[in-house]
Amino acid sequence: MNDRQIKQLTSENPVATGRLRPTVWTALTALSIGITVSSCTPKSPDVATPPSDGAAPSATVPAADGKGSALSGAGATFPAPLYQRWFADYNKANPGTQISYQSVGSGAGVEQFLAGTVDFGATDAPLKPEERTKFKTKYGAEPIQVPMTGGSVVFAYNLDGVKDLKLSRAAYCGITTGAIKKWNDPEIAKANPGAKLPDSAIQFVHRSDGSGTTFQFTNHLKVACPTWTAGVNKSISWPQGMTGAKGNEGVSAQIKQTPNAIGYVEYSYAKQTDMPMAEIENKSGKLIAPTPAAGEAAFVGEKVPADLALLVPDSANPNAYPISGLTWLLLYPQSKDAAKQTALKSVVEWALTTGKATATELGYVPLEDSLVAKVKAELSKVK
Amino acid sequence: MKTQPPNSTETLLEASTQFKVVRSIDKNFRRVTFGLAIGIGLILVWITYSLLVIALPAIQTFGLGFLVDSTWDPVKNIYGALPHVYGTILSSFLALLFSVPLGVGVAIFLTENFLAPKILQPIALTIELLAAIPSVVYGLWGLFVFLPAIKPLFQGLNHNFGWIPFFSTEPGGRQLLGASLVLAIMILPTIIAISRDTLTSLPPKLRQGAYGLGATRWETIMLVLLPAALSGIVGSIMLALGRALGETMAMAMLIGNANQANISWLAPASTLSSLIANQFGEASGLQKSSLFYEALILMVLTLLVNIFAQMLVSRFQQVE
């Protein structure tokens, strides 16, 4: 077609001209259709369709060889480096079993576990009673919750010329609530004789994202500090003007770049990035440096509840590092796919025995033996 | 499409043997495009509706008071969006403050033959590459390189101009002004590229006429070219503002995520999108609802900016 023809076509063809006005009309119709159609949508789209029976549906592709299983899980970010290492190591030893783990956060992990879109979930805070009820009404049995590993939360700091910072209870309580504002405060100086504490403002850095680390940290502060009023949660309302950073890596970057800064990070992370960590005073008044052994000591001799939701906000053990917590795996008591459940059981048992060395190596707190025995007993309920 | 050469005694329509085919293609094409156009509308409505459904508990609990409340307490389940709305608008405004003069200036420089094309092309390419950098890279660069480098400047601002409320706090590692500067760099390519296109597409007779009347280059740019290109430039600024309002990753990394509406630009702040990115992963219940409520506010904010931009552009076009 040449230009002239096009011109003729457009001027003579009634379809091509005079259609401007109806577009307004059609747009309006489109909008109203859209509203009616979408208001018929039965449910909010963030909830996945639950399975009709009690089984965990396979969101994963079954392994090709028929004997092996492909497991998928989702949840907590704090143990993710350890889980990924464990699952990779296990896969090397047992090539038939492939496990994928998405570190989407504890909240999302629990939600997916309840919805049945994963083979197992993971969480830094034990299941709440209402979540247990929800599970029970849907699947007709109690969910199985087993602790896998623990971790300590440490105070990492950046203070020129101060190597071994020691913090008494009153000192770290004051720093976190914002009551102690300067480094040369007598409360801090008392525990650090001879240290050159600067006369400058303390720059406290906290996690801005919702996190199991914040949960463990505030869980301890609430018990240890009478002045702590912000409560216990994965994210809380911090005093005005404190800087928040995303993730362990964000907090540690902020601390490293800011002179006179202090903040809390996971022990494993602080250890891997060589950050100076403060010794803190535990319940029996002893100054304790964070180590896996001191973290493990926090759980020794504690009475374990039936659902294994062991929280030790402030251990009475004189050798314990007080800010230590566990992280849990969530399993289905029953499933149609027996092969998967067997594989899962063997993974958990392997991780708690053979995998212990890996946990220590990465800076996590391995479970002490009596707790491992309890986990094994609980695992027998998985069918 | 093949058509017969037109016969001089027949009309074009009669001459075309494939007229029916053409008509039916025409009709079907119209139907398909119509369907697709409605589809886009539907998707928007769907997103808004699903946001609304999840946000509903928060809307019912807090109402419009959400907009003026500055508490964000997941323990007590009390939420308010004031600090985040404030941080979003202020950071975008500051980013525009830096990037508009710079961006329009660069666009003029690149179009008004100040440079030989040999040098010009690489510069233009570099600017377009700036737009292709992912925002997480901007965030990392800002965090580890830019902000530490520029910190002495902020400290100087605080020491010398601390009496101005905007600079009244001791600058920490992350704060509103630093984040806004990175944001300004991020939106710069949008402003430059579109302004440059507008300036290049101006009719050459405008330039020639102005020079012919004896105008200097300065007068030509300021009094003839810029007014003529104004609608395009305003359009580019509004597009950039849209990106600035919604920018998530870099802001979550750089702005300091403090839940406060501080008058000082050197204090940590937070934005609607940075808060959502930070807290969504572990949020549930009312906290999640409130995050969705914030998302709705951000959508409405962006919509308002777009409507405003349309009004501005059409006004300037009328002036022409």
Side-chain angles (χ1 to χ4, degrees):
Chain A
M1 243 193 241
N2 62 35
D3 278 3
R4 206 170 52 130
Q5 282 172 309
I6 293 169
K7 255 180 207 155
Q8 272 179 307
L9 257 177
T10 44
S11 57
E12 283 170 27
N13 188 347
V15 184
T17 50
R19 277 283 172 141
L20 262 172
R21 199 151 303 168
T23 49
V24 180
W25 175 230
T26 43
L28 279 175
T29 333
L31 205 65
S32 60
I33 290 170
I35 290 165
T36 39
V37 166
S38 54
S39 52
C40 296
T41 322
K43 249 189 178 181
S44 72
D46 69 325
V47 182
T49 341
S52 48
D53 58 351
S58 51
T60 52
V61 192
D65 59 2
K67 269 185 275 173
S69 316
L71 302 164
S72 82
T77 46
F78 147 65
L82 177 62
Y83 286 177
Q84 261 137 14
R85 174 77 184 277
W86 268 346
F87 297 155
D89 287 352
Y90 184 84
N91 178 248
K92 261 181 225 155
N94 306 275
T97 309
Q98 280 197 328
I99 310 145
S100 66
Y101 181 72
Q102 262 72 45
S103 55
V104 289
S106 301
V110 171
E111 204 159 284
Q112 291 193 28
F113 174 71
L114 292 178
T117 53
V118 285
D119 297 316
F120 63 93
T123 177
D124 288 337
L127 285 176
K128 292 175 196 153
E130 65 261 31
E131 287 163 346
R132 287 190 158 268
T133 326
K134 217 171 157 187
F135 187 91
K136 227 176 149 181
T137 47
K138 194 163 160 191
Y139 299 101
E142 289 279 346
I144 291 176
Q145 169 175 278
V146 289
M148 290 302 286
T149 186
S152 301
V153 179
V154 302
F155 283 96
Y157 62 94
N158 175 354
L159 209 51
D160 247 2
V162 182
K163 263 189 184 162
D164 305 300
L165 185 67
K166 295 173 182 72
L167 294 173
S168 65
R169 292 229 142 170
Y172 71 75
C173 288
I175 291 172
T176 47
T177 52
I180 294 180
K181 291 189 162 47
K182 295 238 167 170
W183 277 109
N184 60 356
D185 192 282
E187 223 27 280
I188 304 176
K190 237 189 331 193
N192 297 279
K196 274 187 222 154
L197 294 164
D199 177 26
S200 37
I202 297 172
Q203 307 271 351
F204 186 79
V205 191
H206 60 82
R207 288 283 289 270
S208 59
D209 49 335
S211 147
T213 311
T214 305
F215 174 80
Q216 284 181 7
F217 188 64
T218 52
N219 194 31
H220 169 73
L221 290 182
K222 197 192 171 193
V223 177
C225 303
T227 48
W228 183 255
T229 51
V232 179
N233 207 333
K234 288 170 193 165
S235 54
I236 63 152
S237 169
W238 291 94
Q240 286 283 302
M242 284 184 178
T243 307
K246 199 172 184 308
N248 279 315
E249 69 285 0
V251 173
S252 77
Q254 173 75 2
I255 293 171
K256 280 182 177 165
Q257 284 170 14
T258 318
N260 308 318
I262 186 166
Y264 63 93
V265 287
E266 279 299 336
Y267 169 74
S268 55
Y269 194 85
K271 187 189 159 202
Q272 279 162 31
T273 50
D274 275 330
M275 299 181 78
M277 301 174 235
E279 284 178 28
I280 65 169
E281 183 188 342
N282 66 12
K283 199 174 185 180
S284 40
K286 211 171 147 191
L287 283 165
I288 292 282
T291 55
E296 200 176 347
F299 303 103
V300 171
E302 293 288 337
K303 199 170 168 281
V304 184
D307 58 358
L308 301 184
L310 174 63
L311 288 174
V312 187
D314 195 12
S315 173
N317 189 329
N319 297 317
Y321 182 81
I323 320 178
S324 301
L326 297 173
T327 180
W328 290 265
L329 224 55
L330 304 169
L331 309 172
Y332 295 94
Q334 276 177 331
S335 166
K336 267 186 187 167
D337 197 336
K340 267 190 183 179
Q341 295 288 79
T342 321
L344 201 50
K345 262 157 83 173
S346 109
V347 172
V348 174
E349 270 179 34
W350 178 90
L352 293 179
T353 49
T354 321
K356 245 186 174 179
T358 320
T360 319
E361 180 197 327
L362 292 182
Y364 290 86
V365 174
L367 296 189
E368 48 127 1
D369 294 339
S370 65
L371 204 51
V372 172
K374 286 207 171 71
V375 171
K376 281 184 178 162
E378 186 78 4
L379 275 181
S380 64
K381 290 185 198 162
V382 176
K383 285 182 184 84
Chain B
M1 214 183 330
K2 270 192 217 157
T3 41
Q4 303 280 327
N7 189 314
S8 56
T9 56
E10 288 173 324
T11 68
L12 176 79
L13 289 174
E14 287 160 353
S16 169
T17 51
Q18 295 182 336
F19 181 63
K20 274 192 178 156
V21 179
V22 172
R23 274 299 290 266
S24 82
I25 289 175
D26 228 30
K27 256 189 190 165
N28 285 322
F29 184 71
R30 185 179 301 280
R31 279 194 201 118
V32 170
T33 45
F34 179 62
L36 291 175
I38 290 182
I40 290 289
L42 279 183
I43 288 174
L44 182 71
V45 172
W46 186 22
I47 293 175
T48 318
Y49 172 75
S50 30
L51 282 183
L52 203 65
V53 168
I54 306 171
L56 206 59
I59 296 173
Q60 282 164 343
T61 317
F62 304 113
L64 281 177
F66 191 68
L67 284 169
V68 289
D69 189 357
S70 59
T71 331
W72 187 271
D73 191 336
V75 180
K76 298 194 188 96
N77 259 335
I78 304 169
Y79 304 101
L82 180 66
H84 320 120
V85 173
Y86 171 82
T88 306
I89 294 177
L90 186 58
S91 62
S92 304
F93 172 76
L94 287 177
L96 284 186
L97 205 63
F98 298 118
S99 60
V100 168
L102 198 61
V104 176
V106 171
I108 292 172
F109 184 73
L110 289 179
T111 46
E112 294 309 303
N113 58 35
F114 287 100
L115 287 177
K118 234 187 227 169
I119 316 169
L120 207 118
Q121 279 306 321
I123 294 181
L125 191 74
T126 316
I127 290 164
E128 266 153 41
L129 276 179
L130 266 183
I133 298 176
S135 61
V136 67
V137 176
Y138 275 109
L140 283 173
W141 174 75
L143 194 56
F144 291 106
V145 182
F146 185 68
L147 289 190
I150 208 168
K151 207 176 168 194
L153 178 75
F154 291 150
Q155 278 163 340
L157 274 178
N158 176 240
H159 290 154
N160 300 318
F161 301 99
W163 47 274
I164 304 174
F166 298 139
F167 308 122
S168 57
T169 53
E170 180 79 24
R174 298 172 206 198
Q175 12 71 11
L176 189 93
L177 190 58
S180 304
L181 282 176
V182 175
L183 199 56
I185 301 172
M186 294 175 73
I187 62 177
L188 206 50
T190 314
I191 296 181
I192 296 175
I194 299 178
S195 301
R196 183 171 161 251
D197 282 350
T198 319
L199 284 169
T200 344
S201 61
L202 287 179
K205 64 182 179 200
L206 277 180
R207 251 178 226 104
Q208 292 156 5
Y211 288 133
L213 284 171
T216 60
R217 183 181 245 181
W218 183 246
E219 285 165 342
T220 310
I221 292 171
M222 293 308 286
L223 300 175
V224 178
L225 298 180
L226 277 188
L230 205 56
S231 71
I233 293 173
V234 170
S236 78
I237 294 171
M238 288 301 156
L239 261 181
L241 180 57
R243 177 166 187 195
L245 286 172
E247 177 49 44
T248 308
M249 203 56 215
M251 295 311 264
M253 292 164 86
L254 299 175
I255 203 161
N257 301 307
N259 191 50
Q260 57 173 1
N262 199 320
I263 184 91
S264 170
W265 296 349
L266 297 175
S270 65
T271 69
L272 290 166
S273 54
S274 76
L275 180 88
I276 297 171
N278 268 309
Q279 303 210 333
F280 184 70
E282 295 282 355
S284 58
L286 198 56
Q287 187 182 2
K288 194 168 160 192
S289 285
S290 301
L291 287 175
F292 273 81
Y293 195 178
E294 298 230 336
L296 268 181
I297 294 173
L298 185 58
M299 262 185 90
V300 171
L301 209 61
T302 319
L303 190 71
L304 287 180
V305 166
N306 272 320
I307 292 173
F308 184 65
Q310 288 294 332
M311 277 164 54
L312 265 185
V313 170
S314 64
R315 228 195 126 140
F316 284 127
Q317 272 165 347
Q318 277 165 11
V319 171
E320 282 166 36

